[in-house]
Amino acid sequence: MLEGWKEEPSLERWRTQHTDIVVQDMDWLMGHRLTSFVLLDEGRAVDANLHCDVRLTLVDSDNKSTEKTVTYLVGTSPKLTVFRQIIP
């Protein structure tokens, strides 16, 4: 999914090409470009999801680069889902 974001800055366009996965990320939805990412851990099982910490480097519409650490919640049933954790 993150490699897909680097290649396709439009989340809506990416979703039409990857209907087998459900993705939610507000930065991607707002059109921020992902220039790089680093997986900070192998993930940890919490309830029915895998929680993965990732450092993102983003560029906004003003061409300003920012770095942030986020957590993605990955689920596999009934469909593969990747949601960015909103509340830490």
Side-chain angles (χ1 to χ4, degrees), residues 55-69:
R55 183 176 305 116
L56 306 175
T57 303
L58 304 168
V59 176
D60 66 16
S61 60
D62 295 327
N63 215 25
K64 180 183 173 192
S65 180
T66 59
E67 191 173 275
K68 59 174 72 175
T69 300

Side-chain angles (χ1 to χ4, degrees), residues 4-57:
W5 183 359
K6 285 174 61 178
E7 296 170 13
E8 175 54 69
S10 167
L11 177 56
E12 291 306 318
R13 216 171 316 153
W14 187 88
R15 284 177 175 162
T16 63
Q17 300 167 8
H18 299 88
T19 57
D20 56 331
I21 181 171
V22 178
V23 173
Q24 174 274 322
D25 187 292
M26 292 308 293
D27 282 317
W28 196 357
L29 187 62
M30 293 184 333
H32 295 173
R33 288 182 294 120
L34 177 65
T35 58
S36 67
F37 65 91
V38 176
L39 301 176
L40 300 177
D41 57 31
E42 293 181 10
R44 59 202 172 283
V46 179
D47 300 323
N49 295 312
L50 183 67
H51 290 215
C52 301
D53 297 325
V54 181
R55 183 176 305 116
L56 306 175
T57 303

